Amino acid sequence: NAGVTQTPKFQVLKTGQSMTLQCAQDMNHEYMSWYRQDPGMGLRLIHYSVGAGITDQGEVPNGYNVSRSTTEDFPLRLLSAAPSQTSVYFCASSYSTGPETQYFGPGTRLLVL
Amino acid sequence: AQTVTQSQPEMSVQEAETVTLSCTYDTSESDYYLFWYKQPPSRQMILVIRQEAYKQQNATENRFSVNFQKAAKSFSLKISDSQLGDAAMYFCAYKTTSGTYKYIFGTGTRLKVLA
């Protein structure tokens, strides 16, 4: 049981490049989400999904796309990277929308030059 | 919209002593969940403790306990017998029970534990 995994761990992009941050969980969780963490800002929700085929926007969705074709995977796409997207990105999952524990991945550090 | 405020950017505590981290929130909802997460230097987010708003009893997990004051919208975390391994960033988080899947995090408190 690997929990929530994220790849890559670290990535450098040039402005305008695109990339996909991968997130996978093996706990059969319906609920998955993406956050970004910036200094002094805490974690901010980018997008979330309540099940395969269902996604919705969080607090800071601009510049990011998501899809959920399977229960296990929830990739985050940056279509045209900007320096403002330099951040640490966390993927998380949980069994339900209740108070159950939200499990976090180890994070992806992204640097956009 | 809900907000979560952690007014202490940094706190220090002597090993074996007790420290309290503050968290206040704003909401018009009557039912919700509150959490404290720990983020050590490894960056891994770890759930420390959670509280359901409809429960009046304060949650406790070993050396960690909360003081939940619903009317004051306050949710502080008390760490007893502090250990060096408690040094980390601590985030307070709010989650609605309305059926959406939105957590709102505070900006965090960095806890230093002095030997």
Side-chain angles (χ1 to χ4, degrees):
Chain A
N1 188 323
V4 180
T5 58
Q6 291 183 238
T7 56
K9 291 184 179 179
F10 176 65
Q11 183 73 44
V12 179
L13 288 180
K14 294 181 180 179
T15 296
Q17 286 185 317
S18 63
M19 81 160 294
T20 299
L21 280 63
Q22 302 292 343
C23 174
Q25 51 90 10
D26 60 359
M27 297 173 282
N28 201 32
H29 285 170
E30 289 293 326
Y31 302 90
M32 298 185 73
S33 56
W34 276 102
Y35 296 89
R36 60 178 288 171
Q37 182 178 21
D38 302 295
M41 300 288 288
L43 277 75
R44 292 182 292 170
L45 183 65
I46 304 171
H47 285 286
Y48 66 98
S49 170
V50 298
I54 306 170
T55 64
D56 204 349
Q57 295 180 350
E59 182 184 356
V60 287
N62 292 340
Y64 308 94
N65 280 354
V66 293
S67 60
R68 184 99 178 267
S69 57
T70 67
T71 298
E72 295 77 19
D73 301 299
F74 190 44
L76 177 72
R77 280 181 284 276
L78 284 71
L79 299 179
S80 179
S84 61
Q85 294 178 304
T86 293
S87 188
V88 179
Y89 291 85
F90 287 95
C91 179
S93 74
S94 71
Y95 179 71
S96 77
T97 57
E100 289 79 9
T101 299
Q102 185 173 211
Y103 293 87
F104 283 84
T108 293
R109 184 166 165 249
L110 178 67
L111 176 61
V112 183
L113 302 175
Chain B
Q2 296 88 3
T3 59
V4 176
T5 301
Q6 293 180 250
S7 59
Q8 305 155 316
E10 189 171 296
M11 294 278 287
S12 295
V13 62
Q14 206 70 33
E15 198 176 4
E17 296 293 307
T18 296
V19 64
T20 299
L21 309 184
S22 300
C23 173
T24 58
Y25 57 94
D26 188 27
T27 183
S28 59
E29 298 179 328
S30 59
D31 198 16
Y32 44 86
Y33 308 117
L34 295 166
F35 306 83
W36 278 98
Y37 281 89
K38 171 184 178 181
Q39 186 180 43
S42 67
R43 281 206 316 246
Q44 182 68 49
M45 294 288 287
I46 303 164
L47 178 68
V48 175
I49 200 165
R50 61 175 167 239
Q51 175 84 39
E52 293 161 74
Y54 70 87
K55 292 185 178 179
Q56 293 188 341
Q57 186 173 7
N58 289 326
T60 300
E61 290 286 345
N62 300 314
R63 297 182 296 107
F64 299 87
S65 62
V66 298
N67 183 4
F68 173 48
Q69 301 287 333
K70 191 172 184 179
K73 298 179 182 176
S74 171
F75 183 61
S76 60
L77 174 70
K78 186 172 83 171
I79 306 174
S80 303
D81 186 25
S82 296
Q83 301 174 358
L84 295 176
D86 295 333
M89 282 290 287
Y90 286 82
F91 292 96
C92 178
Y94 171 103
K95 183 180 178 298
T96 181
T97 62
S98 67
T100 63
Y101 184 58
K102 293 187 177 183
Y103 284 78
I104 300 167
F105 284 81
T107 52
T109 296
R110 182 174 300 281
L111 179 66
K112 295 184 177 180
V113 181
L114 308 174

